[in-house]
Amino acid sequence: MHSIFISGAAQGIGAAIATLFYQRGYKVGIYDINLPAAQTLAQNLGAWAKAGLLDVSDYGQWQQALSEFHAWAGEINVLVNNAGILYSGTFEQTDIAAHHRTIDINVKGMLNGCHAALPYLQQASFARVINLSSASAIYGQPDLVSYSASKFAVRGLTEALDIEWQKYGIRVLDVMPLFVQTAMVKDMDAGSIQNMGVHLSADDVALQVYQQVQVKDTIFTPTHHPVGIKSKILFSLSKVSPQFVNRMSNIFLAKRNK
């Protein structure tokens, strides 16, 4: 019976991932800064779900949480770095503390998780890491500056570790959804969401994560996985379009409606 450890798993995409993997026969670690919500979800799922406290920006909490879950589950097969936050609005009108917090959670949180989890992943019979990136990592997004930058960091870290950890037999992959129907995008102040809309559900992303865990590892297995038709189109076009075309397209997409 394989196990999965998910950060930010008490609600939204994380909860959808936890629910799907539980239904598919995994032992599930539901770790979140909101412990009561994590415990409620674990109780609703059943005996093979375990909840715990985790502030992803705190490396010590990662060490404690992973040790606790490993002792309970027996091994850790899948790490999902899902925890993340988003602040929208113009760069200069967003408090600097909000920009710093975005990096602390979205970037340092993933760094902490991968670094602390490696010893457990190395011991496992099968191991894979799935990081939650974003279509905002395809081209820098106005009104989502620090969020977009954080997801570019996730993209780069995923690519680098996917190569570096090949020596351990561990694939490091990411999923790149556009905007997802969760509390994180509620009342978001960004022109891109007005123009692109919010069409993906948390279940859509969870299914993609599950597929990336199950996919056979070959030299042709891609590291990045756009979620939804719009993300797939943007990702594909970005690889072939001239830079000025990508820039002009994003200026158009970010234009605010009057």
Side-chain angles (χ1 to χ4, degrees):
M1 191 176 191
H2 285 163
S3 72
I4 181 171
F5 183 104
I6 310 159
S7 70
Q11 60 184 349
I13 294 171
I17 295 170
T19 301
L20 177 60
F21 274 82
Y22 192 92
Q23 293 169 345
R24 301 298 171 91
Y26 278 71
K27 296 178 182 178
V28 176
I30 301 167
Y31 282 76
D32 200 283
I33 198 168
N34 185 343
L35 181 57
Q39 291 172 328
T40 297
L41 177 58
Q43 290 167 2
N44 290 339
L45 289 179
W48 294 115
K50 179 174 178 56
L53 177 68
L54 177 61
D55 175 353
V56 296
S57 66
D58 186 326
Y59 187 73
Q61 286 197 26
W62 268 106
Q63 292 177 305
Q64 174 63 33
L66 289 164
S67 175
E68 172 188 283
F69 182 69
H70 180 265
W72 177 82
E75 68 175 2
I76 300 176
N77 302 105
V78 182
L79 168 66
V80 178
N81 284 300
N82 168 72
I85 59 169
L86 180 154
Y87 292 96
S88 63
T90 60
F91 176 76
E92 66 276 10
Q93 292 180 352
T94 301
D95 192 84
I96 193 62
H99 291 302
H100 289 178
R101 186 162 184 262
T102 300
I103 301 303
D104 285 342
I105 294 175
N106 295 7
V107 182
K108 292 181 181 178
M110 177 193 156
L111 277 170
N112 288 340
C114 289
H115 195 277
L118 179 58
Y120 301 105
L121 297 171
Q122 287 177 289
Q123 298 171 21
S125 56
F126 163 81
R128 186 156 290 182
V129 177
I130 309 295
N131 297 320
L132 267 291
S133 185
S134 167
S136 296
I138 297 173
Y139 198 93
Q141 293 298 298
D143 300 324
L144 301 170
V145 173
S146 54
Y147 176 80
S148 183
S150 74
K151 293 305 181 179
F152 268 94
V154 170
R155 177 175 175 172
L157 287 161
T158 300
E159 291 174 353
L161 285 180
D162 191 34
I163 294 171
E164 188 171 329
W165 286 1
Q166 185 177 4
K167 61 192 175 190
Y168 303 130
I170 301 171
R171 288 303 304 267
V172 182
L173 311 175
D174 68 22
V175 294
M176 305 176 73
L178 198 57
F179 304 112
V180 182
Q181 295 167 3
T182 66
M184 193 166 74
V185 301
K186 186 178 180 181
D187 301 322
M188 193 169 72
D189 181 20
S192 54
I193 193 171
Q194 296 177 8
N195 295 310
M196 299 291 286
V198 182
H199 303 291
L200 291 174
S201 70
D203 290 336
D204 294 328
V205 183
L207 181 59
Q208 185 65 62
V209 171
Y210 182 78
Q211 290 172 349
Q212 297 323 125
V213 170
Q214 302 302 314
V215 70
K216 186 177 179 180
D217 180 19
T218 73
I219 60 172
F220 301 107
T221 303
T223 304
H224 304 298
H225 304 270
V227 183
I229 187 64
K230 291 183 179 180
S231 293
K232 291 176 181 177
I233 291 172
L234 290 171
F235 187 70
S236 297
L237 289 177
S238 70
K239 294 188 288 187
V240 297
S241 300
Q243 195 275 337
F244 80 91
V245 173
N246 293 331
R247 181 175 183 273
M248 293 304 296
S249 298
N250 279 274
I251 289 174
F252 174 77
L253 290 173
K255 187 175 181 181
R256 291 173 178 270
N257 298 324
K258 299 295 186 181

